[in-house]
Amino acid sequence: MSRTRAWTDGACKGNPGPGGWGVLIRDGHDTVELSGGEPSTTNNRMELLAAIRALQALADGTQVALYTDSAYVMNGMRSWIAGWKRRGWTTAAGQPVKNMDLWRELDQQVAHHDVQWTWVKGHSGDPGNERADALANVGCAPYRRRD
């Protein structure tokens, strides 16, 4: 059985500023592309939202290799989240976790799937990552200022 693959990316024009998220999902011969955006957000929020939207688009129990170029998302899922949850969603310094709403939603989505997290270097020619980046910019486009 082949594993579903999903590439996710976020974009922000200014930080904060208009932002977008993009998702490319490949399952065998099937391809799904998703994008969206917000008028005022941060890059980290868009990276998280991309991963959430990717997982929401999959049937429960899907085995998925999720590719991201976000060290923030990778570190959060591989290292930080267990401690945050143990401490009631606070950091080691006792501060509330930034973007807690999205981290909690991502944690809930991950619980419904078998996720293999994979980091890819952004803008390095990975076709899936490049397409997710383009979709994130499409999601951002409606909110950019036109001068």
Tab-separated table of all heavy atoms in Angstrom, residues 14-57:
chain	number	residue	atom	x	y	z
A	14	GLY	N	4.918	40.550	4.472
A	14	GLY	CA	5.034	41.277	5.733
A	14	GLY	C	4.777	40.243	6.815
A	14	GLY	O	4.211	39.191	6.559
A	15	ASN	N	5.212	40.513	8.009
A	15	ASN	CA	5.020	39.535	9.074
A	15	ASN	C	4.794	40.265	10.390
A	15	ASN	O	5.757	40.563	11.081
A	15	ASN	CB	6.240	38.603	9.156
A	15	ASN	CG	5.917	37.262	9.774
A	15	ASN	OD1	4.768	36.861	9.872
A	15	ASN	ND2	6.954	36.555	10.203
A	16	PRO	N	3.580	40.665	10.733
A	16	PRO	CA	2.330	40.222	10.114
A	16	PRO	C	1.999	40.984	8.832
A	16	PRO	O	2.565	42.033	8.545
A	16	PRO	CB	1.283	40.490	11.189
A	16	PRO	CG	1.835	41.623	11.977
A	16	PRO	CD	3.335	41.467	11.933
A	17	GLY	N	1.064	40.388	8.109
A	17	GLY	CA	0.590	40.963	6.864
A	17	GLY	C	-0.356	40.002	6.196
A	17	GLY	O	-0.779	39.012	6.800
A	18	PRO	N	-0.697	40.267	4.946
A	18	PRO	CA	-1.552	39.335	4.216
A	18	PRO	C	-0.825	38.003	4.055
A	18	PRO	O	0.367	37.977	3.752
A	18	PRO	CB	-1.756	40.002	2.854
A	18	PRO	CG	-1.209	41.379	2.973
A	18	PRO	CD	-0.313	41.429	4.164
A	19	GLY	N	-1.551	36.913	4.298
A	19	GLY	CA	-0.909	35.607	4.237
A	19	GLY	C	-1.737	34.583	3.508
A	19	GLY	O	-2.941	34.747	3.306
A	20	GLY	N	-1.062	33.511	3.115
A	20	GLY	CA	-1.732	32.421	2.429
A	20	GLY	C	-1.122	31.089	2.801
A	20	GLY	O	-0.005	31.020	3.305
A	21	TRP	N	-1.870	30.044	2.563
A	21	TRP	CA	-1.402	28.688	2.791
A	21	TRP	C	-1.711	27.858	1.548
A	21	TRP	O	-2.649	28.160	0.813
A	21	TRP	CB	-2.043	28.064	4.035
A	21	TRP	CG	-3.544	28.078	4.018
A	21	TRP	CD1	-4.361	29.044	4.532
A	21	TRP	CD2	-4.410	27.100	3.421
A	21	TRP	NE1	-5.689	28.728	4.304
A	21	TRP	CE2	-5.739	27.538	3.624
A	21	TRP	CE3	-4.199	25.908	2.745
A	21	TRP	CZ2	-6.842	26.812	3.166
A	21	TRP	CZ3	-5.301	25.188	2.289
A	21	TRP	CH2	-6.595	25.632	2.506
A	22	GLY	N	-0.887	26.848	1.307
A	22	GLY	CA	-1.078	25.981	0.161
A	22	GLY	C	-0.799	24.532	0.504
A	22	GLY	O	0.050	24.243	1.349
A	23	VAL	N	-1.543	23.647	-0.154
A	23	VAL	CA	-1.422	22.214	0.085
A	23	VAL	C	-1.474	21.479	-1.252
A	23	VAL	O	-2.345	21.759	-2.081
A	23	VAL	CB	-2.583	21.704	0.973
A	23	VAL	CG1	-2.556	20.190	1.092
A	23	VAL	CG2	-2.572	22.363	2.335
A	24	LEU	N	-0.567	20.554	-1.444
A	24	LEU	CA	-0.596	19.626	-2.567
A	24	LEU	C	-0.650	18.223	-1.984
A	24	LEU	O	0.205	17.854	-1.172
A	24	LEU	CB	0.658	19.776	-3.431
A	24	LEU	CG	0.856	18.716	-4.519
A	24	LEU	CD1	-0.231	18.821	-5.582
A	24	LEU	CD2	2.236	18.839	-5.128
A	25	ILE	N	-1.664	17.451	-2.368
A	25	ILE	CA	-1.822	16.082	-1.890
A	25	ILE	C	-1.755	15.153	-3.100
A	25	ILE	O	-2.458	15.374	-4.092
A	25	ILE	CB	-3.157	15.872	-1.147
A	25	ILE	CG1	-3.239	16.797	0.075
A	25	ILE	CG2	-3.320	14.401	-0.743
A	25	ILE	CD1	-4.589	16.818	0.754
A	26	ARG	N	-0.932	14.123	-2.981
A	26	ARG	CA	-0.837	13.103	-4.035
A	26	ARG	C	-1.081	11.742	-3.404
A	26	ARG	O	-0.430	11.375	-2.431
A	26	ARG	CB	0.529	13.136	-4.702
A	26	ARG	CG	0.721	14.375	-5.541
A	26	ARG	CD	1.647	14.136	-6.707
A	26	ARG	NE	1.672	15.341	-7.533
A	26	ARG	CZ	2.751	16.059	-7.766
A	26	ARG	NH1	3.900	15.696	-7.256
A	26	ARG	NH2	2.685	17.124	-8.530
A	27	ASP	N	-2.018	11.014	-3.999
A	27	ASP	CA	-2.345	9.664	-3.560
A	27	ASP	C	-2.477	8.820	-4.818
A	27	ASP	O	-3.503	8.887	-5.503
A	27	ASP	CB	-3.637	9.658	-2.759
A	27	ASP	CG	-3.947	8.302	-2.150
A	27	ASP	OD1	-3.130	7.380	-2.280
A	27	ASP	OD2	-5.025	8.169	-1.548
A	28	GLY	N	-1.423	8.079	-5.144
A	28	GLY	CA	-1.418	7.336	-6.399
A	28	GLY	C	-1.464	8.306	-7.560
A	28	GLY	O	-0.625	9.189	-7.669
A	29	HIS	N	-2.465	8.175	-8.405
A	29	HIS	CA	-2.606	9.055	-9.565
A	29	HIS	C	-3.465	10.282	-9.267
A	29	HIS	O	-3.612	11.153	-10.115
A	29	HIS	CB	-3.197	8.288	-10.746
A	29	HIS	CG	-2.311	7.187	-11.232
A	29	HIS	ND1	-1.093	7.431	-11.838
A	29	HIS	CD2	-2.438	5.841	-11.167
A	29	HIS	CE1	-0.527	6.283	-12.140
A	29	HIS	NE2	-1.319	5.303	-11.745
A	30	ASP	N	-4.058	10.342	-8.087
A	30	ASP	CA	-4.935	11.462	-7.725
A	30	ASP	C	-4.137	12.607	-7.112
A	30	ASP	O	-3.240	12.390	-6.294
A	30	ASP	CB	-6.008	11.006	-6.733
A	30	ASP	CG	-6.950	9.964	-7.324
A	30	ASP	OD1	-7.199	10.026	-8.543
A	30	ASP	OD2	-7.412	9.101	-6.563
A	31	THR	N	-4.493	13.825	-7.514
A	31	THR	CA	-3.860	15.028	-6.988
A	31	THR	C	-4.940	15.996	-6.528
A	31	THR	O	-5.929	16.210	-7.223
A	31	THR	CB	-2.998	15.715	-8.064
A	31	THR	OG1	-1.965	14.812	-8.465
A	31	THR	CG2	-2.367	16.990	-7.553
A	32	VAL	N	-4.742	16.568	-5.348
A	32	VAL	CA	-5.639	17.590	-4.806
A	32	VAL	C	-4.793	18.804	-4.463
A	32	VAL	O	-3.730	18.680	-3.857
A	32	VAL	CB	-6.371	17.088	-3.536
A	32	VAL	CG1	-7.204	18.185	-2.909
A	32	VAL	CG2	-7.227	15.868	-3.849
A	33	GLU	N	-5.263	19.989	-4.863
A	33	GLU	CA	-4.599	21.246	-4.513
A	33	GLU	C	-5.576	22.108	-3.736
A	33	GLU	O	-6.735	22.254	-4.131
A	33	GLU	CB	-4.132	21.971	-5.771
A	33	GLU	CG	-3.062	21.212	-6.532
A	33	GLU	CD	-2.534	21.975	-7.736
A	33	GLU	OE1	-3.196	22.948	-8.182
A	33	GLU	OE2	-1.453	21.604	-8.226
A	34	LEU	N	-5.089	22.685	-2.645
A	34	LEU	CA	-5.902	23.536	-1.785
A	34	LEU	C	-5.133	24.811	-1.477
A	34	LEU	O	-3.903	24.785	-1.350
A	34	LEU	CB	-6.213	22.823	-0.465
A	34	LEU	CG	-6.849	21.437	-0.545
A	34	LEU	CD1	-6.786	20.760	0.812
A	34	LEU	CD2	-8.277	21.550	-1.032
A	35	SER	N	-5.845	25.913	-1.322
A	35	SER	CA	-5.195	27.150	-0.881
A	35	SER	C	-6.225	28.050	-0.241
A	35	SER	O	-7.431	27.903	-0.436
A	35	SER	CB	-4.507	27.867	-2.049
A	35	SER	OG	-5.467	28.320	-2.981
A	36	GLY	N	-5.731	28.968	0.546
A	36	GLY	CA	-6.572	29.959	1.203
A	36	GLY	C	-5.685	31.007	1.835
A	36	GLY	O	-4.455	30.914	1.779
A	37	GLY	N	-6.300	31.992	2.439
A	37	GLY	CA	-5.499	33.043	3.042
A	37	GLY	C	-6.279	33.871	4.032
A	37	GLY	O	-7.471	33.657	4.252
A	38	GLU	N	-5.578	34.829	4.626
A	38	GLU	CA	-6.148	35.743	5.610
A	38	GLU	C	-5.555	37.124	5.380
A	38	GLU	O	-4.400	37.244	4.969
A	38	GLU	CB	-5.836	35.264	7.030
A	38	GLU	CG	-6.475	33.929	7.355
A	38	GLU	CD	-6.223	33.480	8.779
A	38	GLU	OE1	-5.603	34.229	9.569
A	38	GLU	OE2	-6.649	32.361	9.108
A	39	PRO	N	-6.323	38.168	5.667
A	39	PRO	CA	-5.846	39.525	5.396
A	39	PRO	C	-4.719	39.997	6.319
A	39	PRO	O	-3.888	40.800	5.921
A	39	PRO	CB	-7.087	40.395	5.565
A	39	PRO	CG	-8.026	39.591	6.394
A	39	PRO	CD	-7.707	38.152	6.120
A	40	SER	N	-4.682	39.485	7.545
A	40	SER	CA	-3.641	39.899	8.481
A	40	SER	C	-3.269	38.713	9.353
A	40	SER	O	-4.073	38.263	10.178
A	40	SER	CB	-4.120	41.067	9.347
A	40	SER	OG	-3.083	41.476	10.222
A	41	THR	N	-2.042	38.214	9.164
A	41	THR	CA	-1.624	37.004	9.856
A	41	THR	C	-0.099	36.969	9.910
A	41	THR	O	0.552	37.960	9.605
A	41	THR	CB	-2.210	35.762	9.136
A	41	THR	OG1	-1.963	34.603	9.923
A	41	THR	CG2	-1.661	35.603	7.735
A	42	THR	N	0.446	35.830	10.305
A	42	THR	CA	1.895	35.651	10.315
A	42	THR	C	2.266	34.417	9.495
A	42	THR	O	1.426	33.541	9.247
A	42	THR	CB	2.446	35.465	11.744
A	42	THR	OG1	1.936	34.235	12.276
A	42	THR	CG2	2.084	36.638	12.643
A	43	ASN	N	3.515	34.335	9.121
A	43	ASN	CA	3.985	33.183	8.369
A	43	ASN	C	3.807	31.899	9.174
A	43	ASN	O	3.375	30.871	8.639
A	43	ASN	CB	5.447	33.370	7.969
A	43	ASN	CG	5.870	32.327	6.973
A	43	ASN	OD1	5.389	32.307	5.848
A	43	ASN	ND2	6.749	31.433	7.390
A	44	ASN	N	4.130	31.928	10.457
A	44	ASN	CA	3.993	30.721	11.273
A	44	ASN	C	2.549	30.232	11.321
A	44	ASN	O	2.293	29.032	11.256
A	44	ASN	CB	4.523	30.953	12.691
A	44	ASN	CG	6.039	30.935	12.748
A	44	ASN	OD1	6.707	30.454	11.837
A	44	ASN	ND2	6.584	31.475	13.823
A	45	ARG	N	1.607	31.148	11.420
A	45	ARG	CA	0.192	30.742	11.433
A	45	ARG	C	-0.192	30.105	10.101
A	45	ARG	O	-0.923	29.115	10.073
A	45	ARG	CB	-0.712	31.927	11.765
A	45	ARG	CG	-0.613	32.338	13.234
A	45	ARG	CD	-1.646	33.368	13.625
A	45	ARG	NE	-3.001	32.855	13.603
A	45	ARG	CZ	-3.571	32.110	14.561
A	45	ARG	NH1	-2.865	31.762	15.633
A	45	ARG	NH2	-4.815	31.707	14.465
A	46	MET	N	0.321	30.633	9.013
A	46	MET	CA	-0.018	30.063	7.708
A	46	MET	C	0.622	28.688	7.517
A	46	MET	O	0.017	27.793	6.923
A	46	MET	CB	0.385	31.013	6.580
A	46	MET	CG	-0.431	32.309	6.554
A	46	MET	SD	-2.213	32.082	6.219
A	46	MET	CE	-2.914	31.968	7.877
A	47	GLU	N	1.836	28.501	8.030
A	47	GLU	CA	2.476	27.184	7.965
A	47	GLU	C	1.652	26.153	8.741
A	47	GLU	O	1.436	25.026	8.270
A	47	GLU	CB	3.903	27.239	8.522
A	47	GLU	CG	4.865	28.099	7.732
A	47	GLU	CD	5.386	27.449	6.454
A	47	GLU	OE1	5.003	26.299	6.132
A	47	GLU	OE2	6.198	28.104	5.774
A	48	LEU	N	1.202	26.521	9.921
A	48	LEU	CA	0.377	25.625	10.729
A	48	LEU	C	-0.957	25.336	10.046
A	48	LEU	O	-1.417	24.190	9.999
A	48	LEU	CB	0.132	26.229	12.114
A	48	LEU	CG	1.310	26.221	13.068
A	48	LEU	CD1	1.060	27.168	14.241
A	48	LEU	CD2	1.576	24.806	13.562
A	49	LEU	N	-1.584	26.377	9.521
A	49	LEU	CA	-2.885	26.205	8.886
A	49	LEU	C	-2.778	25.307	7.658
A	49	LEU	O	-3.673	24.491	7.392
A	49	LEU	CB	-3.481	27.564	8.523
A	49	LEU	CG	-4.975	27.595	8.249
A	49	LEU	CD1	-5.780	26.961	9.375
A	49	LEU	CD2	-5.433	29.025	8.033
A	50	ALA	N	-1.691	25.390	6.921
A	50	ALA	CA	-1.492	24.515	5.766
A	50	ALA	C	-1.477	23.048	6.200
A	50	ALA	O	-2.130	22.202	5.576
A	50	ALA	CB	-0.200	24.881	5.034
A	51	ALA	N	-0.746	22.745	7.264
A	51	ALA	CA	-0.691	21.365	7.752
A	51	ALA	C	-2.070	20.905	8.233
A	51	ALA	O	-2.491	19.775	7.953
A	51	ALA	CB	0.345	21.241	8.867
A	52	ILE	N	-2.780	21.772	8.923
A	52	ILE	CA	-4.137	21.440	9.391
A	52	ILE	C	-5.045	21.143	8.208
A	52	ILE	O	-5.760	20.133	8.183
A	52	ILE	CB	-4.704	22.590	10.247
A	52	ILE	CG1	-3.954	22.696	11.577
A	52	ILE	CG2	-6.212	22.408	10.479
A	52	ILE	CD1	-4.202	23.990	12.331
A	53	ARG	N	-5.048	22.027	7.211
A	53	ARG	CA	-5.928	21.848	6.048
A	53	ARG	C	-5.596	20.576	5.280
A	53	ARG	O	-6.485	19.889	4.780
A	53	ARG	CB	-5.877	23.061	5.132
A	53	ARG	CG	-6.418	24.332	5.768
A	53	ARG	CD	-7.918	24.217	6.049
A	53	ARG	NE	-8.428	25.474	6.556
A	53	ARG	CZ	-8.848	25.662	7.810
A	53	ARG	NH1	-8.824	24.660	8.676
A	53	ARG	NH2	-9.308	26.834	8.193
A	54	ALA	N	-4.317	20.240	5.200
A	54	ALA	CA	-3.924	18.998	4.526
A	54	ALA	C	-4.527	17.796	5.237
A	54	ALA	O	-5.134	16.921	4.601
A	54	ALA	CB	-2.402	18.878	4.471
A	55	LEU	N	-4.381	17.746	6.547
A	55	LEU	CA	-4.890	16.606	7.303
A	55	LEU	C	-6.419	16.556	7.303
A	55	LEU	O	-7.016	15.477	7.256
A	55	LEU	CB	-4.336	16.623	8.721
A	55	LEU	CG	-2.816	16.440	8.810
A	55	LEU	CD1	-2.345	16.606	10.237
A	55	LEU	CD2	-2.384	15.109	8.234
A	56	GLN	N	-7.061	17.726	7.330
A	56	GLN	CA	-8.522	17.761	7.285
A	56	GLN	C	-9.062	17.212	5.965
A	56	GLN	O	-10.175	16.701	5.912
A	56	GLN	CB	-9.040	19.191	7.476
A	56	GLN	CG	-8.921	19.697	8.882
A	56	GLN	CD	-9.312	21.166	9.009
A	56	GLN	OE1	-9.191	21.943	8.062
A	56	GLN	NE2	-9.787	21.538	10.187
A	57	ALA	N	-8.285	17.317	4.908
A	57	ALA	CA	-8.727	16.870	3.588
A	57	ALA	C	-8.635	15.352	3.416
A	57	ALA	O	-9.131	14.822	2.422
A	57	ALA	CB	-7.891	17.561	2.503
